[in-house]
Amino acid sequence: MAEIIVVTSGKGGVGKTTSSAAIGTGLALRGHKTVLVDFDVGLRNLDLIMGCERRVVFDLVNVINQEATLNQALIKDKRTEGLFILPASQTRDKDALTVEGVERVLNELSEMFDYIVCDSPAGIEKGAQLALYFADTAIVVTNPEVSSVRDSDRILGVLQSKSRKAEQGGSIREHLLLTRYNPARVQAGEMLSVEDVQDILAIPLLGVIPESEAVLKASNQGQPVVLDQQSDAGQAYLDAIARFLGEEREHRFLEVQRKGLLSRVFGRKG
Amino acid sequence: MTSENRFTDSPQFRFKNSRVSLNELILLDFDAERLRTELAQHAARLPSLFQQMPVLLNLEQVPADRPLPPLQDLLAICRESELHPVGLRGSNRYDAELCRSLGLADFGQGGRGDPSRTTPTESEEVVAAEPVAAVAEKAPDATLKAESRTRILTTPVRSGQQVYVQGGDLIVLSSVGAGAEVMADGNIHIYGPLRGRAMAGVNGNTEARIFCQSLEAELISIAGYFKASEDLRSDHWQKPAQAWLSGTRLDTAAL
C-alpha cells in the first residue's frame, strides 16, 4: 500500500506545485517508486513544472471516466527513475472529479507505487477537498505572510474534519513546509519568522525553503528544483525529504548569509 | 442601539435582525394530567425560570398515533405553569387557522425527529431566554448530557472552525486561531492564545467569563456585549487575561 501525501495550502501561489514536484522527485531520487497526481483540474500546471507537457495525452479525468487506463495516462519521468506523473485535465473543471472515481484511481495507484503525491488546487472547495480526502499525510505549504498562514490554519481545520481519516476517527499526519523564506526580510521585520508561523499553526516543521532565483528558473525550464543540487532551494527540499523519511537534519538557510558562495543564487527580493 | 426620534418626521419603526434564543418545550408524549403535574413540579423547583418564560412548543416527537388535546387546552396547561408559548413546531398536528387565531407563530418542521434529542427536563434547566446579539447559527438539536455539559478540546481550534457548547463551559487546551469562533452558554477557558472570536454566555448569561493565556482576540463577547480587537489592545494585550461583564460594560483584567 502506498502512502498518500497531499500537498495543500488553502491559498494560491504559495508554491504547492513547485513543492509537489520537488518532493515527488526527491522521493524517487531516494529510491521510492512515486507518482505525482495533479488535482488542479482546469488549471493544469504540474506537467509544465515537470517538463512533460508535450507528452500529455490522457489525464486524470479520462481515467476517472474510464476513457483511458492508468497505464495510458501515466507519464514516466525521463530524468528520474521510478517517477511518474498523472496530469490533470485542462479542458474540464473540478466537477469532473467524483469521490468514487478518485478512490478507484488512488486504490489502483496504491498497488503500483510507494508514494502518491497529490498536488492540491488552491481553495477549500471540492477540488481541494477531494485532493486531501484520501490522504494519510499532509504537507501544508505556507509563505511567511499573514494571509497565507491564516489560510493554512483554515486548511488544517478542513483536514481535521473533512478527510476520510478524520471521518473514521483518526487523523492525518501534518507537516509544515515554509516556502519563500527570506531571512533578511525577517530580520527587517517585513516577514513572519519561522517561530511566528509555528506558534500560530502548531504543527511539526518539515522544512524551510529559502526564497530563491533557482525556483523560478527551474519552473521555467520544466525541471524540479531538487535536480539543481547547487541551489539553496534544491538543498533545502532535499533536507525536507530526508526529514520526511525520518532522518535528522538541521534546518539551514534560516540566517542571513554573508555574501559568498551562495550570493549568486540568493537575495532576490520578491 | 437605541433609536431616538430626534426629528419630527423620523419613521415610526425600523427592522433589525436579531437572534433570540428560545427554549423549546418538547412534548414526548401526551397525557394531560401527567403533563400538568410534571410541569408544576418543575416550576416548583425552578420558580425563577417559569415567570412567563417564552417557549416554543415542539410536538414533533409526540407519537403520531397519540391523540392531541384541543390546542386551547394545551396552551392552558402551559400557562398554568407560567409558561408563555409563542409558537409551534410540528404544527401540522393542528389547523393553521386555529394557530393563527390563538396568536401562535408557525415554526414549521424543525428537527429530524431524532429520538436522542433533549428531554424537556434538561432543556428547561437552561437559563431563561434573553436576546443575544451577534451569535452565529447554532445546531438546533445538540444533544445534552446531564452529567457533563462542559466540553474540553485538546487540539487547536483552526480558522473557519466553529465550536458551540450548549448549556456549559468550553475549555480549550490549545490555541484559538484567527478566524475561528468559540461559543458557550457558560464560561470559556483557553489555555493558549486567543486569536479568534470568543463568545461566552451566548444564551444571555451575564455571569459568564472568558479566560485566556494570551489575549489577541478579534472579538470577545459576553451575553451579547462585545469588544472588538481595536478596543482590546490595552495593557492586557498578548497577556493572560480575563473578561467579564460589569453592568453593560465588558471589562478585562490581567490574570
Side-chain angles (χ1 to χ4, degrees):
Chain A
M1 282 297 280
E3 179 171 351
I4 304 176
I5 305 165
V6 62
V7 179
T8 187
S9 70
K11 194 173 184 300
V14 296
K16 280 185 297 299
T17 303
T18 301
S19 298
S20 299
I23 291 162
T25 307
L27 287 169
L29 285 173
R30 299 287 300 256
H32 301 285
K33 214 176 167 206
T34 304
V35 59
L36 283 164
V37 186
D38 190 352
F39 271 84
D40 205 350
V41 178
L43 295 167
R44 193 182 95 194
N45 280 159
L46 185 66
D47 52 320
L48 285 171
I49 306 274
M50 292 300 295
C52 64
E53 73 278 9
R54 293 181 201 165
R55 296 197 285 143
V56 175
V57 182
F58 296 110
D59 55 50
L60 176 62
V61 174
N62 293 135
V63 180
I64 284 178
N65 293 344
Q66 297 184 303
E67 295 153 1
T69 66
L70 254 184
N71 282 324
Q72 285 175 305
L74 284 173
I75 300 171
K76 189 177 186 310
D77 190 85
K78 284 182 174 168
R79 294 158 302 216
T80 314
E81 187 64 30
L83 180 63
F84 288 79
I85 296 111
L86 181 56
S89 167
Q90 181 70 357
T91 52
R92 307 291 294 275
D93 61 29
K94 269 80 176 170
D95 293 331
L97 299 176
T98 61
V99 181
E100 299 74 27
V102 170
E103 182 174 26
R104 193 172 45 75
V105 172
L106 290 179
N107 282 343
E108 217 175 311
L109 288 171
S110 239
E111 307 282 315
M112 304 156 66
F113 292 95
D114 302 326
Y115 288 103
I116 302 171
V117 179
C118 304
D119 181 22
S120 169
I124 52 167
E125 284 79 28
K126 190 179 174 188
Q129 286 189 16
L130 274 174
L132 65 80
Y133 185 71
F134 295 101
D136 302 304
T137 304
I139 296 177
V140 178
V141 182
T142 307
N143 288 168
E145 172 248 333
V146 282
S147 61
S148 172
V149 174
R150 163 107 43 128
D151 290 359
S152 294
D153 197 40
R154 182 83 164 92
I155 206 80
L156 283 164
V158 175
L159 283 164
Q160 285 161 8
S161 58
K162 301 244 167 84
S163 61
R164 183 167 65 171
K165 274 255 156 76
E167 286 175 5
Q168 292 170 347
S171 62
I172 290 184
R173 251 191 329 141
E174 297 156 342
H175 299 280
L176 173 64
L177 186 66
L178 199 55
T179 55
R180 298 213 173 133
Y181 196 73
N182 185 333
R185 298 188 69 185
V186 172
Q187 209 171 53
E190 298 168 4
M191 212 178 235
L192 296 177
S193 69
V194 182
E195 293 75 29
D196 292 339
V197 178
Q198 271 201 290
D199 181 45
I200 296 172
L201 295 180
I203 58 171
L205 181 66
L206 184 64
V208 179
I209 312 300
E211 191 171 41
S212 164
E213 286 172 6
V215 172
L216 186 65
K217 192 178 107 198
S219 297
N220 285 334
Q221 289 179 347
Q223 177 163 309
V225 72
V226 281
L227 295 178
D228 182 358
Q229 298 191 4
Q230 300 300 311
S231 70
D232 49 356
Q235 292 175 30
Y237 272 117
L238 288 173
D239 282 356
I241 290 150
R243 282 184 211 108
F244 185 84
L245 295 171
E247 290 172 27
E248 294 274 333
R249 292 277 173 103
E250 209 175 316
H251 287 282
R252 296 190 279 167
F253 315 110
L254 301 184
E255 303 300 327
V256 180
Q257 307 282 320
R258 273 176 293 148
K259 292 284 177 195
L261 180 66
L262 291 172
S263 61
R264 287 179 290 121
V265 286
F266 193 78
R268 190 179 73 87
K269 308 267 173 178
Chain B
M1 286 229 197
T2 55
S3 63
E4 290 174 17
N5 290 351
R6 269 174 265 172
F7 308 102
T8 45
D9 58 347
S10 63
Q12 299 296 300
F13 71 90
R14 64 188 179 112
F15 273 111
K16 181 173 171 293
N17 183 333
S18 82
R19 290 187 193 282
V20 176
S21 107
L22 258 187
N23 287 314
E24 270 186 56
L25 180 66
I26 304 168
L27 292 192
L28 302 174
D29 206 332
F30 183 79
D31 175 282
E33 271 322 299
R34 284 185 56 195
L35 179 63
R36 190 173 278 129
T37 3
E38 280 180 29
L39 277 177
Q41 282 168 359
H42 224 82
R45 258 198 306 141
L46 297 161
S48 60
L49 210 94
F50 279 63
Q51 295 164 344
Q52 294 299 321
M53 175 172 77
V55 290
L56 191 58
L57 270 180
N58 185 330
L59 306 173
E60 286 172 327
Q61 292 184 38
V62 181
D65 54 355
R66 178 83 58 207
L68 281 172
L71 189 51
Q72 290 92 329
D73 294 5
L74 191 53
L75 295 183
I77 295 174
C78 293
R79 287 180 184 138
E80 278 171 34
S81 298
E82 303 275 341
L83 289 175
H84 182 81
V86 293
L88 271 186
R89 183 161 270 170
S91 55
N92 54 354
R93 299 288 295 269
Y94 289 109
D95 175 34
E97 193 57 54
L98 177 66
C99 296
R100 257 201 303 282
S101 67
L102 288 169
L104 287 180
D106 181 1
F107 283 78
Q109 310 295 321
R112 282 152 279 172
D114 182 354
S116 68
R117 282 170 76 122
T118 57
T119 66
T121 320
E122 284 169 351
S123 56
E124 278 166 19
E125 278 168 13
V126 174
V127 180
E130 284 198 25
V132 174
V135 173
E137 202 73 54
K138 46 193 162 193
D141 40 0
T143 312
L144 296 189
K145 286 203 182 69
E147 324 68 271
S148 169
R149 289 177 185 158
T150 298
R151 194 157 155 212
I152 301 178
L153 296 179
T154 54
T155 52
V157 185
R158 304 285 184 186
S159 180
Q161 290 182 325
Q162 235 182 21
V163 180
Y164 171 55
V165 181
Q166 191 174 10
D169 290 2
L170 171 64
I171 298 170
V172 183
L173 295 174
S174 187
S175 58
V176 175
E181 238 173 58
V182 290
M183 293 173 278
D185 286 346
N187 307 301
I188 297 177
H189 309 252
I190 299 159
Y191 295 95
L194 166 58
R195 302 193 174 102
R197 296 166 170 237
M199 301 167 192
V202 293
N203 64 347
N205 178 6
T206 52
E207 298 297 308
R209 292 191 181 206
I210 296 170
F211 308 86
C212 61
Q213 275 304 312
S214 177
L215 180 63
E216 303 166 36
E218 289 170 354
L219 180 136
I220 56 173
S221 152
I222 294 171
Y225 297 95
F226 61 87
K227 258 189 186 169
S229 177
E230 213 173 49
D231 305 318
L232 288 170
R233 288 168 193 264
S234 62
D235 300 343
H236 323 305
W237 190 247
Q238 299 187 330
K239 297 209 174 77
Q242 64 159 324
W244 72 96
L245 207 56
S246 357
T248 59
R249 199 182 64 237
L250 193 65
D251 278 338
T252 54
L255 275 179

